[in-house]
Structures are given as structure tokens and as C-alpha cells.
Amino acid sequence: MNAQIYTREIDPPEGRWKSRLVNLTLRLLVKSSHGLNIDIGKLRKQFDRLDGQAPKAFPANVRREAVNCNGVAAQWLTPTDCRPERVLLYIHGGAFVAYTPEVYAAMVASWCQPLKARALLVDYRLAPEHPFPAALNDALKSYRWLLNQGLKPENIVIAGDSAGANLVLALLQRLRDDREIAPGCAVLLSPFLDFTLSGASALGNARHDPIFTPAFAIGIRGFYAPAETHGLPAVSPLFGSFAGLPPLLFQVGSTEMLLDDSVRAAAKAAAAGVPVQLEVWKRLPHVFQMMPALPQASAAQRNIVGFVNRYTAWNG
């Protein structure tokens, strides 16, 4: 029996002028530098500059602590009033090649407090030095490490963005195939799920996307996995089976090149009987949730908290 897909197109009037300004800034500073010939060193410096712009006032009631998860580097974010049995496992984006720990810590900490949960931010091995399947294996090790700490799968929520959301979905499919117990639910922000770039939005939104270009998407995917693997579900989890997966929340911008990755994945999940919520946010950029100046980021966070509470026993 098919599950109903809960789809919302969201266009709140508050913050529209800010989103236009953000889109223009991204188009000028980021998109203009994205070509086919990608210099990893320069790209990582760009991410480092982004990380330096993270909010300086990190919540005083959230403790940060480095941890080793079966050989995988990570950090705990632990609010003082959290319920320690509740864990958000977060797998970051960064095109598989970069990490902005300060930006992600700030965003995820803001989720932890209303959820009364702690978060584990995974610092998986990066491409091209460590190509597929290194990052996916690190994500799997981190999840199994949490279970070995005595945590119950239903009290774990997995979330990720962009490349990290690719790893989230691939991890869920791997757990299902290995007959391991899945987490309570999963949140995917602007996921990059199709390395073949077969979605209509990959070209249809190319002019409108304020960050990505087709040349950049073609160039970056090769650092993570060779061309002959791009159609494999472990690399492009859109092509995998969605049967037996936990409830899924997708949030994506309407002008993203990756829009159809979310739309098609949500449809496949619903057809497989998986509870799924798809949110298409009007004219918002890739992973806008990490931009605290946008009122829409706070609204998206509230929806994430509501979704997690709906599909876990965390409400209260």
C-alpha cells in the first residue's frame, strides 16, 4: 500500500527581500567561480572563508566535545538540558571534498535545543584523497558506534545536506540491505542523489540556481566516484530501493539544479509505502537552512523539529 506524499510549496512573505539579496550575493561570489576545472585547494579555501563567517556567539549552554567513533572523527554537541538518549546523527555536505565545522555546529546546535537532543557531527574522510566508499563507510561506522553505546535505533535521527544527504540515503539503504535496524526518521536538505544528472531541473534550473552550474556538478562528482559507478545506488541512491526506509523529510529550494533529486526521491519513497514530507521553498538557495539571517531558515528549523517529534517519541 502506497504512503501519501505530503508536499508543500512554501513562500513566506517575511524574508523575501533578504533571500533576493542572498541569491544575488551567492551568484556574484560563488556561482561565478564554479567551472569545470575545479582546483580543490582553491575550493577548500572558499569553504574555509565560509566557515569563518559562522555565528561567533555559539550557544553557551551547548558543550562541544571531540570523539572518536570506531576510527571516525566526530564531535558531540550537548545542550545542558538535553535527554542523552536522544541523538541527532548529522552528516555534513561540502561536495564530498570539504567541511565547515563551525557553520554546521551553529546550525545543528540550534536544532538540538528545541529537540532536547544531543548531536553527533561526523567528520568523514574527504575526496579526492579518500574517494567512494570511504565517506559512506565512515557514516556506517558512526551509526554502529552509536548503537554500541547502548542507544536505541528509534531514538536516533539521521540528517544531512547536499553530499551529506546523499550519504544519509545511501546509509539507510545499506542498513536495510544488511538487515540492521533503521533510525527513527531522516532529514535530507537539498540532497545530491543522482550523479547522472538526469533530472529535468539539472538543466532547467541551471540559469536560476544562485550557486551551482552544470560544469561544477560534472566536475565535482568525479572527485568522489568514477564515471562507471555513477548509476550505482550506493553512489546515486535515487536509483536504489526505498522499500522499508524510515520516514523521510526533504527540504529543497525551488530554483536549485538539484530540485528534482528531492522530488523524484520523495515520489519513489511514497510509492514504496514510506511516510514522506517534501517541502519546496520558493526561490531559496542550496541549504539555505545554514543561513541564520534568513527568516526562512528559522521556519525550516521549526518544520524539522515538528517532523522529528511526529515520528519519534521525542515530543516532550
Side-chain angles (χ1 to χ4, degrees), residues 208-253:
H208 307 290
D209 192 313
I211 295 179
F212 289 116
T213 65
F216 180 80
I218 291 169
I220 203 68
R221 64 183 180 177
F223 290 115
Y224 178 63
E228 62 269 20
T229 67
H230 289 176
L232 299 178
V235 173
S236 295
L238 175 68
F239 303 135
S241 168
F242 284 71
L245 298 188
L248 303 173
L249 167 63
F250 293 89
Q251 291 184 341
V252 64

Side-chain angles (χ1 to χ4, degrees), residues 31-42:
K31 185 170 186 172
S32 62
S33 66
H34 280 172
L36 183 60
N37 297 317
I38 300 170
D39 185 308
I40 288 294
K42 290 181 179 178

Side-chain angles (χ1 to χ4, degrees), residues 73-158:
Q75 65 170 310
W76 278 116
L77 301 180
T78 307
T80 54
D81 61 345
C82 78
R83 302 274 293 274
E85 73 275 11
R86 303 177 179 179
V87 170
L88 173 66
L89 175 61
Y90 196 89
I91 305 177
H92 70 82
F96 300 99
V97 302
Y99 182 29
T100 51
E102 301 305 317
V103 169
Y104 283 108
M107 180 181 74
V108 177
S110 72
W111 299 4
C112 287
Q113 295 179 92
L115 288 170
K116 292 185 170 57
R118 53 184 176 144
L120 184 71
L121 272 62
V122 179
D123 185 4
Y124 57 82
R125 289 170 292 170
L126 300 175
E129 296 86 353
H130 303 282
F132 170 82
L136 180 55
N137 287 341
D138 286 354
L140 178 61
K141 284 183 180 179
S142 301
Y143 180 74
R144 288 173 173 168
W145 181 83
L146 287 174
L147 297 182
N148 289 336
Q149 305 305 301
L151 289 160
K152 296 180 179 179
E154 61 267 26
N155 276 332
I156 300 174
V157 173
I158 299 185

